[in-house]
Amino acid sequence: MRPFRPFLFLLTASLLATGACSKKTVSFNSKLDQVLAAGPVRDSLTTARDTTNAPSLDTKKVVLTKEQEKAAKEKQKVAQRTPKKKKNVFLGEKIKKSFTKSGPKGRNQVIETFYYLRTFQQPNDFAPARYYFDPKKRKIFKTTEELDPATAKVLHGPYKKMQGGKVVETGFFALGTRHLRWEKFNKDNILLSKNHYEMGFPRDAQVSFYANDKKRLKEVIPYAAGKIDGDYVSFLENGKREWEGQFENGKKIGEWTQYWGFRNTKDRRHYVYQYGESGYDPEVTEPVLIKEYNRNGVLVFEKDKLDKRDAVTDRPGSK
């Protein structure tokens, strides 16, 4: 009688159990490569159904009613159509966009696009010039006087001027004053001038004061590329305006105003002179007096329209 071999018994039991779970039979004489070719052995634990009602790892789908599904789709469409509102802010101030049109329609029509402050702020008292938009008149104005909060929209933000569909001037405003870089072009898109400003004052301006404390401003001479170019202003020692005007290409252009200079009143104009329209034209050496005001700020002379200067005794040349 042959001795009992435990190893052979265990191997036989293992193979019988395998054969019960697999459709393919494996012979004792099979080699290792034949066993592997028979395919993987299935684990009964992976195929047995869970009878203990244990929670599954699979996510359950939420079933929506037709009305809920329709409402969700509609909400998604509205969210896609509605653009996000952009907050217009320039230098920390909220602004609003607007535009003006002037001149005849066609090639000569002028269109200006700009921004203004949503909340009114009075420009700096010493600013050479203040710019604002009048919504009723649909026009941009330049002044040196205090602005009326009820009618003036203080310019603040990018500015662009176009004529005949071509850009002729660009720049920025800050609290009613010219700021940063300003450029002018002709109709052939050739750059005519480029100036830099800091809250109304040309960046390269020559600024002088009456005292070392730099509180009483005396004169602002604008410079650009070595030439006088920009807004000029001078003040009396009492802080009131004396002269204001504009240079271009080293020449006086447009209207130049001289003030009475009374201490306890608002700046009152005295004389208004007219120079040439452009600094690139021949210089006007003798300006034309176009307006004159008396001490009370009443207009007493306007060229080709009005002349009531008989009572005025302090005109240039009078005795």
Side-chain angles (χ1 to χ4, degrees):
M1 184 176 179
R2 292 182 181 181
F4 178 74
R5 296 181 181 180
F7 173 77
L8 182 60
F9 176 78
L10 292 174
L11 177 62
T12 303
S14 175
L15 293 174
L16 290 173
T18 305
C21 298
S22 176
K23 293 182 180 180
K24 296 183 179 181
T25 58
V26 181
S27 172
F28 286 104
N29 297 324
S30 300
K31 296 180 181 180
L32 180 60
D33 56 349
Q34 294 175 339
V35 175
L36 295 176
V41 180
R42 292 184 182 179
D43 187 353
S44 62
L45 293 178
T46 63
T47 59
R49 187 175 292 179
D50 187 6
T51 59
T52 61
N53 294 327
S56 173
L57 295 177
D58 297 333
T59 57
K60 296 181 179 180
K61 294 183 178 180
V62 179
V63 180
L64 299 177
T65 64
K66 290 184 178 181
E67 294 181 356
Q68 290 175 333
E69 187 176 355
K70 184 178 180 181
K73 289 182 178 180
E74 191 65 27
K75 185 177 181 180
Q76 185 178 8
K77 289 181 181 179
V78 172
Q80 292 176 351
R81 287 196 305 264
T82 305
K84 294 182 179 179
K85 293 183 178 179
K86 295 182 179 180
K87 295 182 179 179
N88 287 330
V89 177
F90 182 71
L91 299 179
E93 302 291 342
K94 293 183 179 181
I95 56 178
K96 186 175 181 179
K97 189 176 182 180
S98 188
F99 71 95
T100 63
K101 292 183 179 180
S102 59
K105 293 183 180 181
R107 296 181 179 179
N108 294 323
Q109 187 175 50
V110 176
I111 300 176
E112 296 173 279
T113 57
F114 53 90
Y115 293 80
Y116 60 83
L117 291 174
R118 286 185 175 271
T119 304
F120 179 85
Q121 291 187 44
Q122 194 70 243
N124 185 358
D125 292 338
F126 291 105
R130 307 167 194 179
Y131 298 84
Y132 69 95
F133 169 61
D134 189 327
K136 291 185 178 180
K137 298 181 179 180
R138 300 296 304 173
K139 188 177 179 181
I140 292 177
F141 291 92
K142 173 184 176 182
T143 184
T144 57
E145 301 178 357
E146 289 187 2
L147 304 185
D148 184 359
T151 59
K153 302 296 183 182
V154 182
L155 297 189
H156 186 83
Y159 168 86
K160 181 169 64 174
K161 182 178 181 180
M162 301 183 68
Q163 186 172 11
K166 296 182 179 180
V167 178
V168 294
E169 188 174 15
T170 61
F172 296 86
F173 287 104
L175 301 179
T177 63
R178 289 192 173 193
H179 193 54
L180 302 177
R181 184 174 65 186
W182 279 75
E183 295 178 336
K184 284 187 178 182
F185 304 87
N186 63 11
K187 295 181 180 181
D188 297 324
N189 199 32
I190 298 176
L191 181 65
L192 297 178
S193 64
K194 180 171 65 174
N195 296 319
H196 294 264
Y197 295 87
E198 295 292 339
M199 301 300 291
F201 295 99
R203 187 178 63 182
D204 299 327
Q206 180 181 328
V207 183
S208 59
F209 299 85
Y210 279 103
N212 295 329
D213 56 9
K214 293 187 177 181
K215 292 183 178 180
R216 289 182 293 168
L217 190 61
K218 182 178 181 180
E219 187 181 37
V220 177
I221 304 176
Y223 278 92
K227 293 183 179 181
I228 303 178
D229 197 304
D231 294 320
Y232 170 90
V233 63
S234 65
F235 296 86
L236 298 171
E237 196 167 1
N238 61 10
K240 306 304 293 184
R241 286 178 184 263
E242 181 183 25
W243 279 97
E244 70 177 15
Q246 189 174 12
F247 283 96
E248 186 178 61
N249 195 34
K251 303 172 186 177
K252 291 182 179 180
I253 63 169
E255 295 184 1
W256 278 68
T257 304
Q258 184 181 23
Y259 291 83
W260 281 99
F262 298 131
R263 182 186 297 274
N264 298 322
T265 61
K266 292 183 179 180
D267 293 329
R268 290 181 181 175
R269 290 176 289 183
H270 192 178
Y271 301 111
V272 180
Y273 296 94
Q274 179 68 51
Y275 285 84
E277 295 183 358
S278 173
Y280 299 92
D281 295 333
E283 185 175 9
V284 175
T285 56
E286 293 293 332
V288 178
L289 178 66
I290 58 174
K291 291 181 182 180
E292 184 177 337
Y293 298 81
N294 65 16
R295 297 173 61 89
N296 299 319
V298 178
L299 181 65
V300 295
F301 172 78
E302 186 172 6
K303 186 176 180 295
D304 300 330
K305 292 182 179 181
L306 174 70
D307 191 352
K308 296 182 179 179
R309 296 177 293 178
D310 296 339
V312 179
T313 58
D314 54 355
R315 294 195 309 274
S318 64
K319 296 181 180 179

